[in-house]
Amino acid sequence: MSANKKTKATPTTQAAASRIQSTQAKAGNDTGKSSFPARVQSAAATNVNKGVVSEAPAGAAKGGRKSPTKSTPTKK
């Protein structure tokens, strides 16, 4: 790939920052101040504050798992 090619960057979302921080913590890596996960979380918060991305809870984009609903018998 040429060094002169420009690529379109995708803004970091809070869901992406959450996934990164979670995987790093589970692997036993540092997630404290000035670590990569902390910088990603900061960038995601900045993107939300600037209105670049919407503020949505993690998992909202994928639908998440839903609770089973109780069925009520219908009267005839």
Side-chain angles (χ1 to χ4, degrees):
M1 184 180 224
S2 173
N4 294 332
K5 270 195 171 182
K6 291 184 180 181
T7 58
K8 187 175 182 181
T10 304
T12 304
T13 63
Q14 287 184 320
S18 176
R19 283 192 306 274
I20 291 168
Q21 191 157 21
S22 175
T23 56
Q24 293 297 305
K26 286 177 184 176
N29 296 329
D30 180 29
T31 58
K33 192 185 270 190
S34 77
S35 67
F36 177 69
R39 293 191 315 266
V40 171
Q41 186 177 17
S42 175
T46 299
N47 288 338
V48 169
N49 290 336
K50 287 184 176 182
V52 176
V53 296
S54 63
E55 183 174 3
K62 294 184 179 182
R65 184 176 173 176
K66 295 183 180 178
S67 301
T69 57
K70 293 181 181 178
S71 60
T72 42
T74 55
K75 292 183 181 181
K76 290 186 178 183

